[in-house]
Amino acid sequence: MTTEHTHDTHDHAGAHASDHHDDHDHKPTGFMNRWLFTTNHKDIGTLYLVFSLIMFLIGGSMAMVIRAELFMPGLQLVEPDFFNQMTTMHALIMVFGAVMPAWVGFANWMIPLMVGAPDMALPRMNNWSFWILPFAFTMLLSTLFMDSGGPAAGWTLYPPLSLQTGQSFAFVVFAVHMMGVSSIMGSINVIATILNMRAPGMTLLRMPLFVWTWLITAFLLIAVMPVLAGAVTMLLTDHFFGTSFFNAAGGGDPVMFQHIFWFFGHPEVYIMILPAFGVVSEILPTFSRKPLFGYAAMVYATASIAFLSFIVWAHHMFSVGMPLSGELFFMYATMLIAVPTGVKVFNWVSTMWKGSMTFETPMLFAIGFVVLFTIGGLSGLMLAIASVDLQYHDTYFVVAHFHYVLVPGAVFALMAGTYYWLPKWTGNMYSEKWGKIHFWLSAISVNILFFPQHYLGLAGMPRRIPDYSTQFADFNMLSSIGGFIFGASQLIFVGVIIHCVYRSKVKATSRVWEGAKGLEWTVPSPAPYHTFDVPPPINAQTVAHADEYDH
Amino acid sequence: MAQHAENAYYVPHGTKWPIIGSIGMFLMLGSAAMWLNDSAIAKWTFYGGAGILIYMLVGWFGEVIRESEDGVYNSQVDTSFRMGMLWFIFSEVMFFACFFGALFYARVFSVPWLGGEGTGAFTNEMLWQGYQNVWPTAGPAQLGGEFQTIPAFGIPFLNTLILLASGFTVTMAHHALKKNQRKALVLWLAATVALGFVFVFFQVEEYIEAYMELGLTLGSGIYGSTFFMLTGFHGMHVTLGAIMLLVIMLRCMKGHFKPDQHFGFEAVAWYWHFVDVVWLGLFIFVYVF
Amino acid sequence: MKKSNIVIVTLAVTAAVAAAFWLLLVAPAFTGNEINLTRGVTDFAQKNYELHMVVLWICVVIGILVFSAMFVSIFLHRKSRGYEAAQFTHSTKAEIVWTIIPVLILVIMAVPATRALIHMEVAPETEMTIKITGFQWRWRYEYLEDGVDFISSLQADSNAARRLASGVDPETVDNYLLDVDKRVVIPVDTKIKFLITADDVIHAWWVPALGWKRDAVPGFINEAWTEVKEPGVYRGQCAELCGKDHGFMPIVVEAVSKEDYAAWVQSQQDQLAVEKREAERLWSLQELMDHGQEVYATQCATCHQADGEGLAPAFPALAGSTVTTGPIEAHIKVVLDGVNGTAMPAWGGMLSETDIAAALTYTRNAFGNETGDLVQPRTIVRIKNG
Ligand code: HEA
Ligand code: HEA
Ligand code: CUA
Ligand SMILES: [Cu+2]
């Protein structure tokens, strides 16, 4: 490791290498060449990000249908079956269409920039991983227009209910297969890039945390997406070819599906949150003007969370009638996850402690993340207590828990990251004023939206119901109002992005943020089409955070 | 890593193959779904989609092979390819793990519970009275009717030997390649391909026997389900692997690959070993026990 | 005010709002208001309630500590106040402390949690057994010792009011969506075992006051138990998505004294005897039509709809169907045995012969079917007895 310090003596900064490259920064000409056939990690990253934003709007619109129907007791807008389709599609689209592709988009844009690579390791496959998605979601969304309607058995697709799905069933299964293929290829690419494309001197423990979290996320994805594919394949054969995996009459068990699904499903929720941890760990040091606290501990905590995520799945199934020993095991294992996650939270707070903080929009979203994610994590811990979960399970308490970790958790981190790197992507500064308005409206309304759902759940309101008893009326109305405000606020986000890309007159500098460290800030803004054709020097100035460079 | 510093990085130009692949995949799977919903023409569009997919694979790999032979790739690209293949195989391992998981779950949990063991006392007494925990089973309702199983030490054992032998031949081929003995290389590869197809042939025979004589079908309860899904997906992988080996053999005959650089060969060999190992698991847990 | 002060103030305000929310959650614990978990009426429910409060408080305290540290830092350590950033990057001591302390907290929580779980899962000797079967979208209760057996569905007023744009204000319906036509009556101070299963898809039987929920899985029987201490009416709902009317299959448990329970069992058995007798007599078309309309409305209309038009494509129309207007034998068979692999249940084991005969007669003559056929209850009795 010490020999690599010789690179420090090179006195040309990475930016020079790319400046020089600017002259022949030939982007392919023509729409098809630029976007359909591209092998450029930045273009593919952009495609992913735009796609996921569109999916977020579609999935969010479905959430608005849900909240509108739940505005008052009684059915006003939609039939129960359509309501269930909305719940199911909302979740499938948000999880597989919005959050996951958004993270892959970030990975594409940032990982090569952060490790000093010219592109992803397998650029052509990279194109394919993206271009499967629009087809997969066309297939999924098309089911809403079929006679039987879309899938309505929840995003968890539990049999036997999911086997009652009509025509749309096979389309949903195949759409899931396509998403799986896309995710697996995307993750293989991320792993190969990180392990094989780092600039000389960028050792593993000098990598930015975002890169670390994605490395671990990619491993989780490759491990569990095939399992989901297998699970839905078994659904398919049970439906069409007479197998009895999930049918007791033939010796199978409906609950077996739940075990397989959650073996995928629980790591899946960490797939959505680990990159968020990474982004927040990049942003907090920048705006605190202080190195990340406990870099190595953050890496080990992430790895521990990932490891534990494989042995806790049945905490989603405390009520299915497992043997006692199983319930105890899964309860203890689940509770343990609080420890590494706590390390992360404490390290974030310590990073801010005695910093010299400023509060630009990315920082606001990152702080919002830390607070609200922690609230969601703590309610998760409550859910882990198996005997009490027999009360919480399948109520709005669970809905509140997971939206706290997903919306002001994963989605806030996505927004924080977007504001943070948007100037790097576009070369323009976004409107700080509107960014802040977006943050405050979102942060306040998201609490009005999801906090009352804790009360609803505790008071006994089951989830996945289109209509409810009148005692739940007030909090539902409050929640819906919060939901509409939150939804409307996201239009500001869209506006800020469009303004930044097409209208903003303020050019971004290459470092953009005063306290920013790391390779991505050594290249100009916007990042040239090709960067790091020559490996950049790796030294204390270009490494974002690494224990060995700290004093 | 330092050794790459002096090489220029390799970034390929744009490519039309992925989008063609996506269209093919969309057409094929969309048609498959319509086919399952009893659409009359879907069958033909399905074949169309599959055709496009095959065209894509041939075209894409063709391009990569050309570039490889032209020496465009440096050792860093080679490493990326290797990692890509290894992690792809890992994903395949997890796919099979899912079905093995189903098999173990049925044998360790669901069937014993239905038979009244563990927490299943009431389940057995009130819902499935008289049903006993046995394996193989078509479940308490005898779905698919009576059936017999395929004895492990007949064709399956023979197939085990065949696959093990093919693992050996492909390794011999690899040694020959490394020593640049091109004739031996092709011969060993030809033997591997032949063994692969013989395996598939026996597997098909076995299926025909199962369906025609033993009454064992996909619908034979949980036994039939796990049996055919595991062996079926494995058989598909063997077929695919054998085709890949065949392509490699043809490439060897055309003089492709060098003693020190032959990633394509190795990738297929890894895949073949993976298929081999899965079979050992199958042989033990599906046939023997 | 300086710009940065505005930020501080707003941050403080949101922090306060967040804290207030948390307090709101805790405060009702003292007032017994229903925005917190119910204390319930069984030992287990109360244990769970206490456990819930302990864990909640621990979480609140952790939250307050973490957020306070953070907001203090946000207030003090800001550039606008001229604060210079320190450059420390780790402290092994601190990191060990905040790994160990959470572990200890978790252990403290795990002990009562383990105890509670064992209390639930290791059932004591029970005195009576009720088998509960979930159907789309109703519950069937069989009292194994006392020979009582009935189906419990959403109560008619709620059922009418809940239709899309029904024009009925839910506020005007008593216990909207939480009322049933037939309650599960149980004796207090009695250890009762529940055997829970389902006929079609997975449901979950949940009455919060009892303190647990248990999935009803088709093909398997799950066990649970309870001992209710106070007489009263306790309401719950199905808690596992089971299709379109998942929100409309409530549960009502009525706990009564042991004497009242015995009387109730007696009355149920008398009623059964009357039904048996009634099934043997000859019914007139009008009688069957009247009764059939009732049965149809409570049992069949969720799927086949009140007007008999069904809901394409999942639920076939009975109006003009080849089954309802075709040969009687085939029609009877469909209704008695159900259709395997679809939502259509086997009604033979669930409804009385009279109910089935009435429903058959009704569906053969209503919705413009006009076959004029009349199915006598005794015919059904004979078919069922082979
Ligand atoms: C990003 C997504 C995400 C994340 C990060 C989490 C994190 C956690 N989740 Fe969550 N969860 C979901 C998404 C997520 N979950 C979803 C989508 C569902 C529902 C799926 C469905 O049914 O549709 C769900 C459901 C769910 C259940 C099932 C509930 C039920 O259906 O009955 C449980 C039960 O144990 C649970 C537990 C946890 C725990 C213990 C964590 C932990 O990782 C949290 C750890 C964090 C903290 C604890 C806070 C910070 C720590 C400290 C400040 C340290 C000090 C703390 C202590 C010592 C206590 N979750
Ligand atoms: C990452 C995942 C994710 C995200 C981001 C969200 C975001 C939101 N979710 Fe999501 N949700 C899930 C994952 C997610 N959810 C999952 C997994 C389930 C469980 C499903 C199941 O039970 O199977 C679920 C279920 C679920 C339910 C429970 C449904 C039920 O049990 O019946 C509800 C109810 O309130 C809800 C609401 C919302 C709302 C209001 C948002 C908001 O944050 C959305 C905000 C976004 C927008 C609104 C889009 C932008 C705005 C416009 C397009 C303009 C139009 C706006 C207006 C008209 C105001 N969700
Ligand atoms: Cu029955 Cu939900
Ligand atoms: Cu989980």
Side-chain angles (χ1 to χ4, degrees):
Chain A
M1 212 170 260
T2 41
T3 55
E4 278 151 2
H5 280 258
T6 52
H7 287 289
D8 296 4
T9 56
H10 288 227
D11 74 350
H12 77 208
H16 290 189
S18 348
D19 277 346
H20 137 86
H21 201 85
D22 252 357
D23 320 338
H24 49 111
D25 188 17
H26 39 68
K27 298 190 175 83
T29 46
F31 181 83
M32 299 265 277
N33 282 328
R34 175 80 193 272
W35 299 110
L36 250 51
F37 302 158
T38 182
T39 51
N40 181 283
H41 73 102
K42 301 184 182 81
D43 280 352
I44 294 175
T46 305
L47 286 170
Y48 266 111
L49 290 171
V50 171
F51 175 79
S52 70
L53 186 61
I54 294 169
M55 285 297 139
F56 178 66
L57 298 181
I58 296 176
S61 306
M62 291 171 178
M64 294 298 107
V65 174
I66 296 174
R67 281 315 331 163
E69 180 55 65
L70 293 175
F71 189 74
M72 293 195 301
L75 290 177
Q76 288 86 27
L77 300 172
V78 297
E79 288 287 355
D81 189 59
F82 187 73
F83 180 91
N84 292 344
Q85 293 174 33
M86 287 292 104
T87 303
T88 306
M89 287 293 249
H90 157 67
L92 288 174
I93 286 175
M94 283 300 197
V95 170
F96 295 103
V99 174
M100 287 169 66
W103 286 130
V104 185
F106 271 82
N108 261 295
W109 251 105
M110 300 318 300
I111 289 176
L113 285 182
M114 288 175 137
V115 300
D119 204 306
M120 297 293 277
L122 302 158
R124 281 186 281 225
M125 194 172 80
N126 202 14
N127 174 307
W128 202 22
S129 343
F130 172 75
W131 276 108
I132 286 174
L133 285 181
F135 292 92
F137 282 88
T138 304
M139 195 181 286
L140 183 64
L141 283 167
S142 72
T143 61
L144 285 174
F145 303 99
M146 295 174 186
D147 284 346
S148 67
W155 81 290
T156 49
L157 301 171
Y158 284 3
L161 182 62
S162 61
L163 299 176
Q164 289 182 355
T165 311
Q167 270 148 313
S168 58
F169 184 77
F171 292 94
V172 175
V173 168
F174 291 139
V176 172
H177 280 142
M178 288 171 78
M179 294 168 205
V181 171
S182 159
S183 294
I184 290 168
M185 290 196 300
S187 319
I188 289 175
N189 224 329
V190 166
I191 295 190
T193 306
I194 297 175
L195 294 184
N196 189 40
M197 304 291 282
R198 278 169 291 133
M202 177 60 80
T203 57
L204 286 178
L205 282 175
R206 285 179 195 161
M207 295 194 311
L209 258 180
F210 178 69
V211 179
W212 256 114
T213 52
W214 238 116
L215 179 63
I216 292 168
T217 302
F219 169 74
L220 288 182
L221 271 168
I222 300 181
V224 301
M225 288 310 287
V227 175
L228 174 67
V232 296
T233 304
M234 288 187 245
L235 281 182
L236 189 81
T237 57
D238 266 17
H239 191 302
F240 291 106
F241 301 108
T243 56
S244 23
F245 289 105
F246 310 129
N247 179 1
D253 182 352
V255 173
M256 169 159 68
F257 178 85
Q258 302 184 15
H259 282 287
I260 302 174
F261 180 87
W262 288 116
F263 182 84
F264 146 79
H266 187 82
E268 167 68 23
V269 305
Y270 291 104
I271 286 165
M272 291 188 278
I273 207 70
L274 292 184
F277 291 169
V279 165
V280 169
S281 305
E282 300 302 326
I283 292 174
L284 291 178
T286 295
F287 296 96
S288 305
R289 292 167 184 74
K290 182 165 162 286
L292 182 74
F293 187 90
Y295 169 82
M298 290 298 237
V299 172
Y300 299 134
T302 311
S304 318
I305 293 172
F307 169 75
L308 287 172
S309 76
F310 283 109
I311 55 165
V312 300
W313 74 86
H315 64 215
H316 297 272
M317 306 163 53
F318 285 136
S319 67
V320 298
M322 263 184 290
L324 175 64
S325 52
E327 291 186 331
L328 287 173
F329 171 80
F330 286 110
M331 173 170 83
Y332 300 146
T334 305
M335 291 168 76
L336 265 186
I337 298 192
V339 177
T341 317
V343 167
K344 293 200 147 273
V345 172
F346 300 138
N347 283 7
W348 287 326
V349 174
S350 310
T351 301
M352 288 186 257
W353 189 258
K354 298 205 169 173
S356 173
M357 277 186 266
T358 51
F359 301 92
E360 289 85 345
T361 312
M363 182 65 162
L364 291 176
F365 272 102
I367 293 174
F369 171 92
V370 175
V371 175
L372 300 174
F373 168 79
T374 303
I375 293 179
L378 291 171
S379 64
L381 192 75
M382 296 174 70
L383 293 169
I385 310 295
S387 76
V388 200
D389 184 64
L390 295 182
Q391 290 281 43
Y392 303 141
H393 177 66
D394 259 316
T395 67
Y396 263 78
F397 192 81
V398 178
V399 177
H401 155 65
F402 68 73
H403 281 97
Y404 261 85
V405 282
L406 284 168
V407 181
V411 172
F412 267 29
L414 281 165
M415 287 168 177
T418 306
Y419 283 111
Y420 187 52
W421 284 309
L422 202 52
K424 178 58 63 191
W425 298 337
T426 63
N428 301 330
M429 293 306 284
Y430 61 86
S431 158
E432 198 58 62
K433 177 175 138 207
W434 283 100
K436 286 195 168 124
I437 293 175
H438 172 221
F439 170 75
W440 286 109
L441 277 176
S442 300
I444 293 169
S445 61
V446 84
N447 283 291
I448 302 175
L449 165 57
F450 293 121
F451 210 91
Q453 296 186 355
H454 291 112
Y455 306 142
L456 286 172
L458 292 177
M461 178 168 162
R463 58 192 279 207
R464 296 167 163 171
I465 58 175
D467 190 6
Y468 47 84
S469 158
T470 50
Q471 81 212 57
F472 304 125
D474 298 344
F475 283 123
N476 266 304
M477 192 177 284
L478 191 62
S479 173
S480 290
I481 291 170
F484 300 144
I485 301 174
F486 184 79
S489 319
Q490 303 325 309
L491 295 178
I492 301 177
F493 182 52
V494 177
V496 172
I497 293 175
I498 291 175
H499 168 265
C500 178
V501 176
Y502 295 109
R503 286 271 176 280
S504 174
K505 301 245 154 41
V506 190
K507 295 291 163 218
T509 59
S510 59
R511 188 159 296 276
V512 183
W513 313 108
E514 184 189 34
K517 290 183 77 185
L519 278 178
E520 77 262 39
W521 309 110
T522 63
V523 303
S525 304
Y529 200 64
H530 295 290
T531 34
F532 302 133
D533 297 68
V534 178
I538 304 299
N539 54 43
Q541 272 65 55
T542 54
V543 169
H545 27 242
D547 283 352
E548 57 183 307
Y549 287 129
D550 302 328
H551 318 288
Chain B
M1 270 182 315
Q3 78 267 18
H4 305 311
E6 60 286 343
N7 298 356
Y9 283 120
Y10 170 72
V11 180
H13 53 79
T15 168
K16 65 178 194 240
W17 297 115
I19 193 85
I20 293 176
S22 295
I23 292 169
M25 195 187 241
F26 181 72
L27 191 60
M28 186 175 92
L29 291 179
S31 309
M34 291 198 284
W35 195 354
L36 288 171
N37 288 332
D38 299 322
S39 153
I41 50 155
K43 191 170 158 183
W44 301 106
T45 48
F46 174 85
Y47 292 139
I52 295 176
L53 214 54
I54 290 169
Y55 167 66
M56 179 278 285
L57 287 171
V58 171
W60 190 334
F61 282 116
E63 206 165 295
V64 172
I65 290 167
R66 256 191 314 283
E67 287 175 4
S68 172
E69 288 304 307
D70 293 349
V72 179
Y73 299 154
N74 56 25
S75 63
Q76 187 174 35
V77 175
D78 194 64
T79 310
S80 290
F81 283 168
R82 277 161 201 279
M83 287 183 175
M85 191 65 196
L86 282 177
W87 287 100
F88 166 66
I89 289 177
F90 175 62
S91 79
E92 291 267 45
V93 169
M94 291 309 292
F95 184 71
F96 276 98
C98 177
F99 293 98
F100 273 109
L103 174 67
F104 295 146
Y105 184 92
R107 297 191 58 174
V108 178
F109 298 116
S110 67
V111 173
W113 286 339
L114 291 167
E117 288 170 27
T119 58
F122 283 103
T123 299
N124 182 258
E125 192 181 307
M126 304 183 72
L127 300 177
W128 311 111
Q129 207 164 27
Y131 178 67
Q132 275 169 353
N133 169 22
V134 287
W135 189 267
T137 180
Q142 275 286 338
L143 293 188
E146 296 270 324
F147 67 85
Q148 285 170 298
T149 58
I150 292 167
F153 290 93
I155 294 183
F157 185 65
L158 188 61
N159 262 348
T160 308
L161 296 179
I162 289 173
L163 271 196
L164 285 177
S166 76
F168 173 75
T169 52
V170 79
T171 306
M172 290 311 287
H174 194 191
H175 282 303
L177 174 53
K178 282 202 274 198
K179 290 194 211 124
N180 212 12
Q181 298 162 338
R182 308 293 300 195
K183 255 226 180 79
L185 164 66
V186 173
L187 281 177
W188 283 117
L189 269 180
T192 315
V193 173
L195 287 169
F197 283 115
V198 169
F199 176 95
V200 175
F201 173 77
F202 278 139
Q203 188 82 9
V204 171
E205 281 287 291
E206 191 182 279
Y207 275 15
I208 292 173
E209 189 194 328
Y211 264 82
M212 297 299 171
E213 279 147 47
L214 304 178
L216 173 61
T217 70
L218 203 51
S220 300
I222 189 69
Y223 183 86
S225 309
T226 49
F227 175 83
F228 281 105
M229 288 294 259
L230 276 162
T231 56
F233 273 116
H234 178 263
M236 274 158 62
H237 282 75
V238 176
T239 311
L240 208 73
I243 292 172
M244 292 183 343
L245 279 168
L246 186 66
V247 172
I248 293 294
M249 185 180 94
L250 295 176
R251 285 184 63 191
C252 287
M253 287 161 74
K254 282 176 75 179
H256 288 188
F257 303 123
K258 297 185 202 72
D260 56 343
Q261 210 191 357
H262 46 259
F263 164 72
F265 179 97
E266 281 177 291
V268 173
W270 291 340
Y271 192 80
W272 194 248
H273 288 309
F274 149 73
V275 168
D276 206 350
V277 171
V278 171
W279 175 260
L280 288 182
L282 278 180
F283 182 66
I284 294 170
F285 293 110
V286 175
Y287 291 99
V288 177
F289 287 106
Chain C
M1 239 186 341
K2 259 178 39 195
K3 235 191 186 157
S4 57
N5 285 351
I6 300 178
V7 178
I8 297 176
V9 172
T10 0
L11 274 172
V13 170
T14 6
V17 171
F21 264 129
W22 276 83
L23 285 176
L24 245 170
L25 180 56
V26 177
F30 304 108
T31 62
N33 191 316
E34 64 194 5
I35 68 174
N36 196 357
L37 201 62
T38 170
R39 274 169 202 274
V41 292
T42 65
D43 234 17
F44 180 68
Q46 277 152 13
K47 281 216 174 91
N48 255 350
Y49 172 81
E50 281 153 22
L51 193 53
H52 158 73
M53 290 314 288
V54 168
V55 178
L56 176 60
W57 274 113
I58 292 178
C59 288
V60 170
V61 171
I62 293 174
I64 288 177
L65 289 178
V66 173
F67 301 151
S68 308
M70 200 172 122
F71 282 112
V72 166
S73 176
I74 287 174
F75 184 78
L76 296 176
H77 309 144
R78 42 178 52 238
K79 198 181 177 202
S80 57
R81 294 170 59 105
Y83 198 90
E84 290 279 333
Q87 290 299 318
F88 62 85
T89 59
H90 45 259
S91 152
T92 313
K93 212 188 289 168
E95 291 186 58
I96 290 176
V97 168
W98 63 54
T99 308
I100 304 277
I101 292 184
V103 171
L104 294 180
I105 298 177
L106 292 177
V107 171
I108 292 172
M109 296 193 318
V111 172
T114 306
R115 237 182 251 136
L117 201 61
I118 291 173
H119 178 67
M120 174 68 201
E121 298 294 354
V122 183
E125 275 298 304
T126 48
E127 299 152 68
M128 61 179 276
T129 313
I130 301 177
K131 183 176 171 218
I132 303 173
T133 310
F135 291 87
Q136 282 174 320
W137 292 281
R138 51 182 53 73
W139 296 97
R140 177 184 184 187
Y141 299 96
E142 293 163 81
Y143 291 61
L144 296 189
E145 290 85 0
D146 297 320
V148 179
D149 179 350
F150 58 88
I151 291 174
S152 170
S153 320
L154 181 65
Q155 198 263 343
D157 292 347
S158 289
N159 203 13
R162 63 126 172 152
R163 301 283 153 194
L164 182 59
S166 67
V168 184
D169 179 1
E171 301 283 349
T172 63
V173 180
D174 279 347
N175 291 307
Y176 178 59
L177 298 186
L178 292 182
D179 216 353
V180 294
D181 53 357
K182 288 190 187 126
R183 295 172 170 183
V184 202
V185 178
I186 58 169
V188 293
D189 296 325
T190 310
K191 294 192 172 62
I192 303 169
K193 189 201 292 286
F194 294 103
L195 299 177
I196 302 171
T197 184
D199 190 58
D200 35 39
V201 301
I202 304 175
H203 305 260
W205 198 82
W206 180 37
V207 176
L210 303 189
W212 48 265
K213 64 174 67 69
R214 190 57 98 212
D215 286 6
V217 183
F220 290 84
I221 289 187
N222 270 327
E223 292 171 54
W225 69 279
T226 197
E227 179 179 3
V228 176
K229 295 193 286 197
E230 291 160 40
V233 177
Y234 309 112
R235 296 172 196 278
Q237 281 176 270
C238 177
E240 178 64 60
L241 179 59
C242 54
K244 75 179 176 66
D245 286 352
H246 158 61
F248 308 102
M249 52 184 291
I251 297 156
V252 181
V253 170
E254 185 177 351
V256 297
S257 68
K258 290 187 178 176
E259 300 76 57
D260 288 354
Y261 174 71
W264 177 79
V265 169
Q266 192 55 50
S267 74
Q268 294 296 303
Q269 279 163 351
D270 291 349
Q271 203 180 320
L272 216 64
V274 172
E275 260 168 37
K276 268 239 168 70
R277 225 171 315 123
E278 286 285 283
E280 285 303 327
R281 77 172 169 89
L282 278 181
W283 288 57
S284 75
L285 180 63
Q286 195 51 46
E287 275 178 316
L288 283 171
M289 286 299 282
D290 289 348
H291 186 55
Q293 186 165 22
E294 231 172 83
V295 175
Y296 186 83
T298 48
Q299 310 297 349
C300 320
T302 24
C303 297
H304 298 291
Q305 304 302 303
D307 57 4
E309 290 299 336
L311 264 185
F315 306 110
L318 297 187
S321 141
T322 50
V323 179
T324 47
T325 56
I328 298 192
E329 293 69 34
H331 188 187
I332 296 178
K333 199 172 150 30
V334 166
V335 176
L336 282 184
D337 301 342
V339 184
N340 223 334
T342 73
M344 175 68 185
W347 293 100
M350 297 197 282
L351 295 179
S352 73
E353 289 80 5
T354 311
D355 288 350
I356 291 176
L360 284 165
T361 308
Y362 177 72
T363 48
R364 290 187 78 80
N365 294 289
F367 331 124
N369 282 352
E370 318 278 357
T371 58
D373 295 334
L374 187 150
V375 183
Q376 284 297 345
R378 56 156 69 151
T379 316
I380 306 295
V381 175
R382 221 160 301 127
I383 291 177
K384 272 174 74 174
N385 295 342

